Amino acid sequence: MKIDRRSFLSLGVGAGAGIALSPLPWKLTDDSSIWTQMWPWTPVPRDGAVNYVNTASTICSGGCGLSVRKIDDRAVKVEGLKGYPGSNGNACIHCMAGIQMLYSPNAVKSPMKRTGKRGEGKWQPISWDEAISETAKKLGELRESGKASTLACILNSDYGTIPALFKQFLNAFGSPNFMRTPSYQDAYEMTLALMHQTDSMAVFDAENADFVLSFGSGIIDGWGSSVRMFKANSSWKEKNVKLVQIEPRLSNTAAKSDQWLPVNPGTELILALGIAHVIITESLYNKDFVEKYAEGFEDWTDNEGNKQKGFKNFVLEGYSPSYAARVTGIEANTIVKLAKDFAGASAPLALCGRGQGTTPGSIHEFMAVHALNALVGNINKKGGIWAMPKPDYIKWEQAKLDDTAREGLKVPRADGAGTEKFPHAKYLLTRLPEVINSAKESPIQALFVSGANPAYTLPDTKAVAKAFASIPFIVSFTSHMDETAEMADIILPNHGHFERYEDIPAPPGYNKPVVGLARPVISPQHNTRHVGDTLIAIAGKLGGTIAESFPWKSYEECLEKTMGENWTSIQESGVITNPDYEAPGWDTAFETSSKKFAFIPGNHNPGNNSLQIPVIEGNDNYRLTLIPYDSMRLAAGPVGNTPFVTKTVSEKVLKGNDICIEINPKTAEKYGLKQGQYAILTTPKGKAKVKTELSPGIMPDIIAMPRGLGHTGIDEYLAGKGININELIGPVEDPASGLDAAWGIKADLVKA
Amino acid sequence: MSTLDDKPKEVSDSGGFAILFFIVGLVASLVVGWVVFPKLLYSQKKQPFDFNHQLHNELVDDGCQSCHFFREDGSYAGVPKLEQCSGCHEEVQGETEDEAVFVNEYVANNREVPWLIYSRQPDCVFFSHAAHVKAGQMDCKTCHGDIGTSTTLKVYEENRITGYSRDIWGKNIAGFKKNTWDRMKMDDCSECHVKLGVNQTSVQTQKGACFVCHK
């Protein structure tokens, strides 16, 4: 007997037969099929009890009321909250994807102190006690050296208890430098201050308008309360309300409008006056309003006996439709017809604030558009623009001042707002970088930034970075590592947007008083602290009158006491509002000395000078003009896109990591550029590699670039995608207001 | 010596060996398939601590549903959360080590107990307890067996390939079952569905057949 090949074959056959007679192959087949269908690394949502928490969004100022679906303690889905004023049952794309922000692996997890150089990204986690002690120590030194006024705070809003706490802190500390990030609200507030003499907010009865003339406002591109404006736009379609969109680029709003008028960018002011010319010439204006409730329409003689030109003659002499046509590029016939249609509607509404309104714009443009509303008498009327008082529910005792504080508060603001040069401006943050950079020693020695990301959102990023570099002490209260936090010395992270209480008053443009309540949906995921509590703690550490100015143990106590008897109802319904609010009638609406609307405010008469469109930066060597544009799919404010939202951005906007620049095919041909080519974009502020995107929806010789890309911070999913337009564009100071009136910048585009 | 003579001899020799080898191969692989393979396939895991169902069952009024209840929205709560237990177990009761572990490690630290769930199914299936227990009037035992009278928790055997409990396939590696609760595979569901003529459409998908259960 010999063991040979056959023996082994037999062994194999036997083994095969044995295996086939065992459950092994069948069980393995079954298991591997389960394994391939249910990859073990695919996350499976945990089962649990479903519950909902109603809250309001703090992601942006848009004012979405939200209902967050939770499974046990985990937030899983964001839906619109039914009945919430404006957004009523719907939510914007950023709110809906906000869960990703909440559970972002890149959230700031504890207080941190910078260890490397500024912007190097080297941080050391420190305890809350250390962080607050160190901040208070630095601030204390500032006060001791008589520099209390050099503390500045930058926030994205000046309504609500959080901004109020910062203002209280600055007052008690002794600094006038509270700053709100710029937006069209600055220009509207100033317009109302000049023409109504009221300290109020411009709000719009958009749902009841029957003709909407938008001077570039991105009605469905995120302007105002975005969801509310989407709904208003839908209701206009149902009711056959005409929307005329005036802007040089075929935005989503323009594409969905009834009439798109591509206007030479920056000339909207002249167009508004051209329309006014037709309304006046054809006597189409509301005589009741203009004659009884307005002043400055006809020429007048002032107290000193000087003759002053009224609005009527100012417009008639300087802004005929043919002149307006020459400047704006819109035919005179079109202007005449537009004016007649506008004045002929029963509730015509003219709006301004380009795109999402992140740049204030020329004050004269706002005043001219507001004058159109005044001509047709649609101020404080159904379907018109209303001047609504600012929220006034915060009634705290004023900050207690010691001598240092009193001295500090006498110092003029660093940004020049409210000074002799810019008496009407409240905040001029866009001027601050230049002020700091041209000073020997920075007039700002310490900076608090909360809810804002000026290092990203302010124009001329390089100048902002340079200015920040010369501020010795920067504290960021961010919950995500944004561009401003990258430049900070200490980060005192706030709770995430679904982890904290906060009152959310006055959704922009909404014409009823609203105070929403953001509340904790989940408990804080990291070692963060409510910014209100942090501020109270710093004040406590500083002691003296500063500590006395904060009589609350916690932010929650502060909020509860501020809300007073409304605390219970706001907790139950998530919002306090007054749906029956009506704007005051014409007889009581205006606070001018004559109690009338001022077409030309006494202290703001342009006289015989014609109004100029703001001149943008760049000489004639630049062959093109670059304008920014906004999209709902790109968060251009302090908060960046979440990965979900970035997935929705078209390849015509962002291709891979390359940003696409819209250029008219004719212009592209003229300069030898083709679709999808790499090109070098140059402006007086900088240079960037971009991709060309040929689009007949942009006027010839204009190129457009989206806002909201080119982050260096926030998280690795967003950083490095595209270019931040603020690197390529600088502020343009409106000579009349000091506000940023930049609508573009001269540029050149050549094949890379 | 002729080569022709030798050959048949050799063949017959190796033929005996071939049978022997066949048997060895057969037996060895049967042992591997029936004995070794199940041991290799499943890893043995212990629950965080032991639990006595019988003891608790005697103390509650409403049987299984006292702890494994339906939520207000009709969904099934499954394994109780810490919150339910800590009502009674704020302090250590009795003298068992398991009780001490539960109270000191979980109740005191407000930590959910990471129970290993014997009946956990893949996520591709939609299963409604309400449809079976409330509408179908089935009792817990039909699928889960006599767990309510158990005094200790058995070892959790986890399938190294799929990650699911051995109880889904069943203790018997060949897949045979004696009782309805011995297995929880799709065939076991469909056996009952076929027997009872369940052919209604899914509430979620509005579709019948596979889509009654599969998402």
Side-chain angles (χ1 to χ4, degrees):
Chain A
M1 291 215 298
K2 212 169 132 190
I3 298 170
D4 60 7
R5 193 169 143 264
R6 284 186 67 195
S7 313
F8 283 103
L9 281 173
S10 302
L11 185 74
V13 172
I19 291 291
L21 290 171
S22 84
L24 189 145
W26 327 113
K27 177 74 176 125
L28 274 184
T29 310
D30 187 79
D31 284 350
S32 46
S33 82
I34 294 173
W35 184 75
T36 55
Q37 285 168 29
M38 300 298 302
W39 304 115
W41 53 84
T42 308
V44 175
R46 262 190 233 152
D47 196 17
V50 176
N51 57 103
Y52 287 84
V53 178
N54 296 341
T55 183
S57 171
T58 54
I59 291 179
C60 73
S61 59
C64 290
L66 305 174
S67 181
V68 183
R69 183 169 183 260
K70 287 170 65 186
I71 300 290
D72 289 343
D73 288 333
R74 191 173 174 83
V76 294
K77 190 175 180 234
V78 178
E79 293 163 5
L81 176 60
K82 280 199 183 116
Y84 194 86
S87 63
N88 189 13
N90 296 87
C92 78
I93 189 169
H94 298 284
C95 283
M96 287 197 279
I99 296 279
Q100 283 197 317
M101 207 181 295
L102 184 65
Y103 293 115
S104 166
N106 300 286
V108 182
K109 295 178 178 67
S110 76
M112 295 207 288
K113 188 182 171 179
R114 178 169 63 82
T115 54
K117 284 183 196 155
R118 276 230 172 118
E120 207 181 8
K122 288 190 179 161
W123 297 91
Q124 183 196 344
I126 53 172
S127 73
W128 272 103
D129 282 348
E130 270 179 274
I132 285 169
S133 299
E134 185 154 341
T135 307
K137 190 174 152 241
K138 293 266 185 196
L139 296 185
E141 286 167 8
L142 220 52
R143 270 171 73 82
E144 275 163 28
S145 58
K147 290 180 179 170
S149 65
T150 64
L151 170 66
C153 295
I154 299 177
L155 275 82
N156 63 335
S157 166
D158 65 348
Y159 307 141
T161 51
I162 299 296
L165 281 173
F166 276 93
K167 285 182 191 168
Q168 183 89 344
F169 189 88
L170 280 175
N171 279 337
F173 192 82
S175 168
N177 287 310
F178 178 92
M179 292 173 202
R180 181 176 74 177
T181 47
S183 77
Y184 74 120
Q185 282 177 304
D186 294 325
Y188 259 128
E189 283 175 12
M190 202 188 288
T191 302
L192 298 180
L194 288 166
M195 299 173 103
H196 295 210
Q197 292 275 311
T198 54
D199 185 22
S200 49
M201 310 182 293
V203 297
F204 310 91
D205 191 14
E207 291 80 0
N208 292 313
D210 71 347
F211 188 104
V212 181
L213 184 58
S214 154
F215 288 83
S217 301
I219 308 286
I220 56 166
D221 293 294
W223 183 88
S225 291
S226 52
V227 175
R228 182 236 181 171
M229 292 315 293
F230 267 84
K231 286 174 170 252
N233 185 58
S234 304
S235 76
W236 296 338
K237 297 282 169 276
E238 283 164 17
K239 293 185 286 188
N240 287 326
V241 172
K242 196 171 175 187
L243 168 63
V244 179
Q245 184 70 5
I246 301 161
E247 61 174 318
R249 177 182 170 270
L250 186 73
S251 63
N252 279 354
T253 308
K256 299 277 183 190
S257 67
D258 298 276
Q259 190 180 8
W260 169 44
L261 295 176
V263 65
N264 288 333
T267 66
E268 290 88 341
L269 157 66
I270 309 298
L271 181 63
L273 293 171
I275 294 169
H277 188 285
V278 180
I279 294 175
I280 296 169
T281 323
E282 304 262 339
S283 200
L284 299 172
Y285 56 90
N286 183 319
K287 305 210 174 43
D288 183 36
F289 180 78
V290 170
E291 284 162 17
K292 288 193 204 146
Y293 299 98
E295 62 177 20
F297 185 70
E298 303 286 352
D299 296 350
W300 78 95
T301 310
D302 66 16
N303 296 340
E304 286 149 24
N306 300 321
K307 284 210 163 181
Q308 298 281 356
K309 195 186 283 181
F311 182 73
K312 183 170 123 187
N313 282 334
F314 176 75
V315 170
L316 292 183
E317 286 168 21
Y319 302 95
S320 66
S322 56
Y323 170 73
R326 248 191 344 268
V327 177
T328 61
I330 293 169
E331 285 180 16
N333 294 343
T334 313
I335 297 176
V336 172
K337 172 145 195 331
L338 184 60
K340 286 181 181 172
D341 288 351
F342 180 74
S346 62
L349 176 62
L351 306 170
C352 59
R354 289 182 183 79
Q356 292 179 355
T358 45
T359 304
S362 142
I363 187 65
H364 288 148
E365 181 181 317
F366 276 71
M367 290 171 77
V369 173
H370 195 51
L372 284 182
N373 287 314
L375 280 177
V376 293
N378 209 11
I379 289 176
N380 286 15
K381 283 274 181 190
K382 196 177 174 189
I385 176 171
W386 300 2
M388 195 166 80
K390 292 179 178 176
D392 67 343
Y393 58 94
I394 300 174
K395 295 185 163 74
W396 301 341
E397 267 184 46
Q398 285 197 335
K400 295 188 172 60
L401 309 183
D402 58 10
D403 289 343
T404 315
R406 269 188 287 271
E407 283 307 307
L409 289 170
K410 284 182 196 158
V411 179
R413 286 175 63 92
D415 61 3
T419 57
E420 209 175 304
K421 196 173 174 198
F422 303 113
H424 309 299
K426 281 195 154 176
Y427 315 112
L428 292 173
L429 182 55
T430 42
R431 290 190 78 246
L432 188 65
E434 180 54 31
V435 170
I436 293 176
N437 291 338
S438 58
K440 220 174 192 182
E441 189 191 78
S442 167
I444 300 300
Q445 291 286 305
L447 177 65
F448 281 5
V449 183
S450 173
N453 185 9
Y456 175 82
T457 59
L458 286 186
D460 200 353
T461 320
K462 261 185 236 143
V464 177
K466 194 178 160 203
F468 277 21
S470 45
I471 300 174
F473 186 59
I474 299 177
V475 179
S476 166
F477 294 86
T478 189
S479 41
H480 291 87
M481 204 64 201
D482 58 31
E483 286 77 4
T484 309
E486 283 173 348
M487 293 187 178
D489 299 275
I490 283 191
I491 301 175
L492 304 173
N494 193 5
H495 293 326
H497 68 297
F498 283 153
E499 298 171 345
R500 65 173 191 257
Y501 272 113
E502 193 173 331
D503 48 328
I504 317 285
Y510 192 69
N511 59 322
K512 308 282 169 187
V514 172
V515 185
L517 180 69
R519 68 179 115 198
V521 172
I522 59 166
S523 48
Q525 302 287 294
H526 306 294
N527 182 18
T528 53
R529 206 178 262 195
H530 195 292
V531 59
D533 287 326
T534 308
L535 214 53
I536 292 170
I538 297 171
K541 203 86 185 171
L542 282 165
T545 45
I546 303 177
E548 286 166 28
S549 302
F550 290 79
W552 313 281
K553 282 193 194 74
S554 67
Y555 173 71
E556 217 175 307
E557 185 195 321
C558 164
L559 185 61
E560 190 180 333
K561 288 202 169 147
T562 308
M563 289 298 163
E565 56 187 20
N566 286 324
W567 180 238
T568 319
S569 66
I570 198 171
Q571 279 195 306
E572 274 166 19
S573 61
V575 68
I576 305 171
T577 184
N578 175 12
D580 302 325
Y581 173 81
E582 294 287 340
W586 292 340
D587 45 354
T588 55
F590 312 112
E591 299 289 333
T592 52
S593 53
S594 59
K595 303 286 173 203
K596 287 178 177 179
F597 175 86
F599 270 102
I600 293 186
N603 53 359
H604 209 75
N605 194 348
N608 292 322
N609 302 326
S610 60
L611 298 179
Q612 296 296 320
I613 57 171
V615 180
I616 53 167
E617 262 185 284
N619 55 31
D620 289 342
N621 291 337
Y622 294 97
R623 299 174 296 179
L624 302 165
T625 300
L626 171 70
I627 58 166
Y629 73 86
D630 290 319
S631 153
M632 262 317 282
R633 292 162 199 264
L634 286 170
V639 170
N641 263 23
T642 48
F644 277 155
V645 180
T646 305
K647 282 277 177 201
T648 72
V649 176
S650 156
E651 286 205 335
K652 290 170 185 284
V653 176
L654 179 72
K655 187 148 176 80
N657 282 344
D658 297 318
I659 193 167
C660 303
I661 297 292
E662 281 187 21
I663 179 167
N664 191 287
K666 283 183 196 159
T667 315
E669 200 186 339
K670 192 158 87 180
Y671 298 121
L673 292 160
K674 291 195 178 101
Q675 162 66 24
Q677 248 177 358
Y678 278 115
I680 300 295
L681 174 63
T682 323
T683 74
K685 290 292 173 204
K687 214 179 223 193
K689 193 178 174 190
V690 298
K691 256 193 167 168
T692 54
E693 177 60 41
L694 267 53
S695 163
I698 179 91
M699 288 173 74
D701 294 329
I702 312 286
I703 51 176
M705 185 170 178
R707 279 201 189 95
L709 289 167
H711 277 278
T712 57
I714 308 259
D715 64 31
E716 71 258 36
Y717 309 109
L718 189 58
K721 285 198 188 321
I723 307 287
N724 179 7
I725 191 163
N726 291 318
E727 290 169 19
L728 300 171
I729 199 166
V732 170
E733 192 174 294
D734 184 14
S737 66
L739 295 171
D740 176 20
W743 46 265
I745 191 162
K746 299 294 277 178
D748 218 335
L749 194 64
V750 289
K751 204 175 133 188
Chain B
M1 207 166 82
S2 127
T3 29
L4 282 170
D5 286 341
D6 292 342
K7 265 191 180 169
K9 213 176 176 183
E10 269 183 41
V11 169
S12 89
D13 277 0
S14 73
F17 253 143
I19 292 165
L20 182 66
F21 272 78
F22 177 83
I23 292 167
V24 168
L26 183 76
V27 171
S29 59
L30 284 173
V31 171
V32 167
W34 286 92
V35 184
V36 182
F37 168 63
K39 284 203 189 322
L40 289 176
L41 182 63
Y42 294 108
S43 67
Q44 311 259 316
K45 286 191 171 173
K46 272 191 152 181
Q47 295 284 3
F49 55 88
D50 203 10
F51 180 83
N52 188 334
H53 269 97
Q54 191 185 37
L55 183 71
H56 285 84
N57 215 349
E58 284 165 5
L59 295 170
V60 294
D61 301 327
D62 203 13
C64 305
Q65 293 208 16
S66 310
C67 300
H68 304 284
F69 57 87
F70 286 91
R71 299 192 191 101
E72 272 178 32
D73 62 359
S75 64
Y76 181 64
V79 177
K81 295 273 176 206
L82 185 72
E83 199 187 340
Q84 280 168 255
C85 311
S86 49
C88 298
H89 288 270
E90 223 162 311
E91 300 292 329
V92 177
Q93 304 181 12
E95 286 170 1
T96 64
E97 200 180 306
D98 297 293
E99 171 75 10
V101 170
F102 175 49
V103 174
N104 297 334
E105 283 187 24
Y106 298 96
V107 180
N109 300 325
N110 199 24
R111 240 180 84 200
E112 286 293 338
V113 184
W115 292 116
L116 301 162
I117 318 280
Y118 301 104
S119 51
R120 187 168 70 93
Q121 293 279 355
D123 193 46
C124 55
V125 187
F126 176 81
F127 179 83
S128 163
H129 272 90
H132 292 81
V133 179
K134 297 217 160 163
Q137 291 292 309
M138 288 171 73
D139 59 6
C140 308
K141 195 178 156 183
T142 309
C143 300
H144 294 285
D146 276 328
I147 191 89
T149 56
S150 71
T151 54
T152 179
L153 294 176
K154 63 183 174 186
V155 171
Y156 180 90
E157 290 185 80
E158 187 184 274
N159 187 312
R160 291 185 204 268
I161 300 172
T162 64
Y164 295 99
S165 162
R166 184 171 185 165
D167 290 35
I168 306 302
W169 176 268
K171 186 76 181 167
N172 185 310
I173 194 70
F176 298 122
K177 63 173 179 183
K178 285 186 201 143
N179 306 301
T180 47
W181 54 83
D182 284 347
R183 274 168 56 99
M184 289 179 125
K185 289 286 289 176
M186 189 182 86
D187 288 346
D188 304 288
C189 303
S190 57
E191 185 185 307
C192 198
H193 276 218
V194 169
K195 201 162 76 189
L196 299 174
V198 178
N199 59 358
Q200 76 274 32
T201 50
S202 157
V203 178
Q204 273 75 23
T205 61
Q206 303 290 312
K207 289 173 181 169
C210 308
F211 299 105
V212 174
C213 308
H214 285 279
K215 290 173 181 173

